[in-house]
Amino acid sequence: LAKRSEDMLTHLTGKSAAEAREALARAEGSVKLAVLLLHGCALEDARALLERVGGRLRVALAELRGRRRRTDW
């Protein structure tokens, strides 16, 4: 199961297996949290974001992209 999670993260984020393993460890095995960590979120921010969007990763990622657009001036 851990290998499958790692494979999903490398596929979804383009990060290395080592980066995926580290993110999974920080996220206590949560793939959704690990994806957000690999996209630059702090752990507590990632948790709060997932909570706010009802656990929907696609919505959380869209919100992250929107935030970046507003701050990339």
Side-chain angles (χ1 to χ4, degrees):
L1 201 57
K3 175 69 172 140
R4 183 172 179 205
S5 296
E6 181 183 309
D7 290 344
M8 282 191 295
L9 282 173
T10 58
H11 176 77
L12 290 170
T13 65
K15 302 291 184 178
S16 71
E19 290 170 307
R21 276 191 302 275
E22 192 272 331
L24 277 169
R26 287 181 48 217
E28 299 174 348
S30 168
V31 173
K32 290 179 181 184
L33 275 177
V35 167
L36 295 175
L37 293 176
L38 290 169
H39 276 87
C41 267
L43 182 58
E44 290 308 314
D45 292 340
R47 282 191 177 120
L49 177 56
L50 278 175
E51 177 71 26
R52 190 168 58 254
V53 299
R56 295 170 298 181
L57 181 58
R58 185 174 298 190
V59 175
L61 289 171
E63 190 168 312
L64 274 182
R65 283 190 292 274
R67 281 186 201 166
R68 288 191 182 126
R69 282 190 199 114
R70 288 190 298 271
T71 60
D72 285 347
W73 305 7

